[in-house]
Amino acid sequence: MSRVCVVGLGYIGLPTAAMLASRGHEVIGCDISDRVVQLVNSGQSHFREPDLDMLLAAAVQTGRLRAQTRPAEAEYFILAVPTPFRDGHRPDLTYVEAAADSIAPVLCAGDTVILESTSPVGTTELLATRIAAARPDLVMPVRGEPAPDGCIHLAHCPERILPGSMVRELVENDRIIGGMSEDCGPKAFALYDSFVKGRAFMTDCRTAEFVKLTENAFRDVNIAFANELSLICDRLGIDVWHAIDLANRHPRVNILQPGAGVGGHCIAVDPWFIVDSAPEQARLIRMAREVNDGKPHRVVQQIRDHAERFRAPRVACYGVTYKPDVDDLRESPAVEIVQELAKAGDIEVLVCDPWVDALPPQVATLPKVRLVDAETARRQADIVAFLVGHRQFRRLDRKLFLNKIVVDAVGLMSRE
Ligand code: SAJ
C-alpha cells in the first residue's frame, strides 16, 4: 500500500481519494477551501453523488483519508484541479500551475506525479517545467527519453467518470495512462491497478491529453448534431424525438438527444482546448460548440414568442441543473435560460427542481424569479418550459399539462 496525496477534492479528486483509501492506501486529500477540508474530515461530501457518501464516511472513519489545506510528503501525487478557459476560450492553467507549486516543496526523488485534470496538449510537459523551476535539485524525465534513475515520474491519466455514476465508473472504466517517458506509465499504473477493474492502456502524455479532449469533443459534436436536428424539425413541423427514435432503428445510426444546450464543466469546455491548439483545422469541433452554445438562446426565443400574448406572463422552468438526476449547476444551460428570461423584467419565472434547494446564485437576486415546487409551478404558470429531464419529471402525468403552453426542450412530452 502507498501513501497518496490527492490535490483538489472536487468532483474527481474526492471520489478518487475515497476510493484509494477504501483499497487500503494512506490518503491525504488537499483542498484550498477550508469548508471542503472540514466537511471531508467529518466524512461528508460537498456535492451529491450516488454511493460517494458511504465510501467517504468509511474512508475517514478508518483513518485512511484525512484532508488538509497543504500537500504532504507521499509516494504518489494526483492532481485533480480545475482547467477552465478564460476570455476568448483560451485555456486557463493557473490551477495546474498552483498545484505544481504546492507539491514542489514536499516532492522527493522517485515520487510519481499524476495529472488527472483534463488538459490541453502539452500540459504534462508544462507541469514538469514548473516543478523543475521550483526544485532544481530534482531530476525530471524528458518526453520520449528513458527516465533517469531517481527521477520524478510524471504521467497524465485523464479522469473519465460520469457525474451520477462516478463511483461505479471509477472502478469499471478503462484508463489511458500517458507517461512523460516510457517508465513513467507503469509507475502510475501500479496505483490504478489497486482499484480499476477496466483495462489500462499505455501511451505518451501528449497522446493521452489529446485522447481525453477527443472523447468529449466527440460527444459534443454528436449532441450538436441532435440539437441541429431539433432546429430543423422546429422549422419543418416535425417531432424531433419521434424522428430520432425512428432513425435510430437503423443498425448503424445512433443519434443522441437534443436538449436545452450542453452544460457541465467538461463537454462545454474541453473541445475549446482542441480549437485553441489547432484553430484552422478544428472547424467542425468549433461549429459544434457554437451550435450547442446557441441552443439556450433558441429556447428563450421560443418561450418569449409564446409570452407575447400575455400581459404579465408567468413561465415555469422545470429543471435548472446541467443534466438530469444530478444537483450540479456548473455551466447549466437551464440556468442561462432562466437568467435570460428574467433579466428583461417583463416575465415572472417560477423555477422548480427536486435536485436543488435554493435558487442558483446567478438568478437568486433577480426580482422576478421564485423557487417553487413542481405542482405550484404548473398551477401558476401560463407557459411551462421543460429544461431538464429529471426522473421526477419523467413521471409527471402529461394530461395535467394539456391546457398549458409547453416548450419542451428535452422531449418529456414526446417520449413513450
Ligand atoms: N446532453 C444532451 N444530449 C445527450 C447527452 C447529453 O443534450 O444526448 C447534455 C447533458 O444534458 C449535459 C451535457 O450534454 O448538459 C453533458 O452531459 P454528459 O452526460 O454527456 O457528460 P458530462 O459532462 O456529465 O460528463 C462527460 C463524460 N464524457 C463523455 O461521455 C465522453 C464523462 O465520461 C467525462 O468524465 C466528463 O465529461 C469529464 O469530466 O470530462
Side-chain angles (χ1 to χ4, degrees):
M1 289 305 128
S2 306
R3 198 170 137 97
V4 188
C5 179
V6 178
V7 181
L9 294 177
Y11 288 85
I12 302 303
L14 188 56
T16 306
M19 180 63 72
L20 284 163
S22 78
R23 297 299 194 264
H25 298 286
E26 186 192 341
V27 184
I28 305 126
C30 302
D31 202 284
I32 50 171
S33 157
D34 286 325
R35 185 183 81 87
V36 169
V37 166
Q38 273 172 21
L39 266 176
V40 172
N41 280 333
S42 68
Q44 288 168 277
S45 169
H46 54 101
F47 56 93
R48 261 156 87 184
E49 176 64 34
D51 303 328
L52 178 59
D53 282 347
M54 235 166 49
L55 194 69
L56 181 60
V60 174
Q61 251 161 33
T62 54
R64 294 213 181 91
L65 169 63
R66 72 186 146 83
Q68 54 192 52
T69 51
R70 302 291 306 163
E73 281 191 10
E75 293 147 83
Y76 285 97
F77 291 82
I78 293 183
L79 311 188
V81 292
T83 44
F85 57 63
R86 56 176 129 216
D87 290 349
H89 301 119
R90 311 285 328 265
D92 175 0
L93 297 178
T94 48
Y95 294 101
V96 175
E97 288 166 352
D101 295 347
S102 76
I103 63 168
V106 294
L107 279 177
C108 298
D111 288 350
T112 301
V113 178
I114 300 165
L115 176 66
E116 282 218 15
S117 314
T118 305
S119 300
V121 173
T123 309
T124 311
E125 290 150 276
L126 180 118
L127 186 61
T129 311
R130 189 94 185 180
I131 295 171
R135 289 288 305 275
D137 56 310
L138 293 171
V139 181
M140 301 303 287
V142 176
R143 190 171 64 86
E145 291 181 17
D149 280 346
C151 76
I152 298 292
H153 298 94
L154 265 174
H156 179 51
C157 184
E159 60 85 8
R160 292 176 133 178
I161 51 182
L162 191 74
S165 313
M166 286 181 152
V167 174
R168 182 177 54 76
E169 290 207 353
L170 204 48
V171 174
E172 288 179 3
N173 288 2
D174 291 346
R175 297 299 293 246
I176 307 298
I177 301 183
M180 182 80 167
S181 69
E182 253 182 46
D183 319 80
C184 296
K187 282 274 182 189
F189 173 73
L191 184 65
Y192 289 104
D193 198 30
S194 62
F195 67 92
V196 175
K197 284 199 189 132
R199 293 174 65 192
F201 296 87
M202 303 285 169
T203 181
D204 63 277
C205 53
R206 287 177 78 86
T207 306
E209 287 158 350
F210 184 66
V211 167
K212 166 67 198 202
L213 300 179
T214 305
E215 292 164 7
N216 282 357
F218 170 87
R219 195 148 169 89
D220 198 42
V221 168
N222 281 279
I223 298 169
F225 181 71
N227 277 333
E228 187 162 293
L229 291 183
S230 75
L231 305 183
I232 297 167
C233 284
D234 275 354
R235 190 178 163 81
L236 302 180
I238 293 167
D239 179 336
V240 67
W241 315 97
H242 184 52
I244 289 177
D245 185 41
L246 293 178
N248 283 348
R249 308 278 157 170
H250 185 286
R252 282 174 297 283
V253 174
N254 187 11
I255 303 170
L256 294 182
Q257 300 297 301
V262 167
H265 209 62
C266 311
I267 295 187
V269 176
D270 306 344
W272 287 117
F273 297 167
I274 299 183
V275 175
D276 181 67
S277 60
E280 280 176 30
Q281 290 75 19
R283 289 158 55 205
L284 184 61
I285 294 172
R286 179 203 296 268
M287 181 68 84
R289 274 287 66 246
E290 286 167 1
V291 168
N292 288 335
D293 275 355
K295 192 67 201 290
H297 309 296
R298 173 70 200 134
V299 177
V300 168
Q301 196 48 54
Q302 283 176 317
I303 297 171
R304 285 208 152 276
D305 288 348
H306 289 298
E308 265 176 14
R309 78 173 80 153
F310 298 93
R311 234 170 6 110
R314 243 186 215 161
V315 177
C317 289
Y318 278 64
V320 273
T321 60
Y322 90 85
K323 69 173 185 175
D325 304 331
V326 297
D327 68 347
D328 195 334
L329 294 164
R330 291 176 302 167
E331 319 285 334
S332 166
V335 172
E336 205 181 326
I337 290 167
V338 171
Q339 198 174 14
E340 219 179 295
L341 279 176
K343 258 190 180 160
D346 54 338
I347 295 179
E348 184 177 351
V349 187
L350 308 176
V351 173
C352 63
D353 192 315
W355 288 80
V356 304
D357 41 32
L359 279 173
Q362 301 94 311
V363 299
T365 53
L366 294 174
K368 284 187 146 184
V369 185
R370 276 190 290 143
L371 185 69
V372 297
D373 61 80
E375 179 51 18
T376 309
R378 186 190 63 81
R379 267 193 289 107
Q380 295 189 357
D382 305 305
I383 300 165
V384 169
F386 289 114
L387 305 181
V388 185
H390 289 311
R391 73 172 87 94
Q392 292 89 340
F393 297 159
R394 289 198 290 267
R395 288 192 212 114
L396 288 171
D397 183 355
R398 288 178 219 181
K399 288 200 287 297
L400 295 173
F401 295 88
L402 286 178
N403 65 343
K404 299 281 173 189
I405 296 172
V406 173
V407 173
D408 187 3
V410 286
L412 280 181
M413 294 288 123
S414 303
R415 285 178 197 155
E416 289 311 309

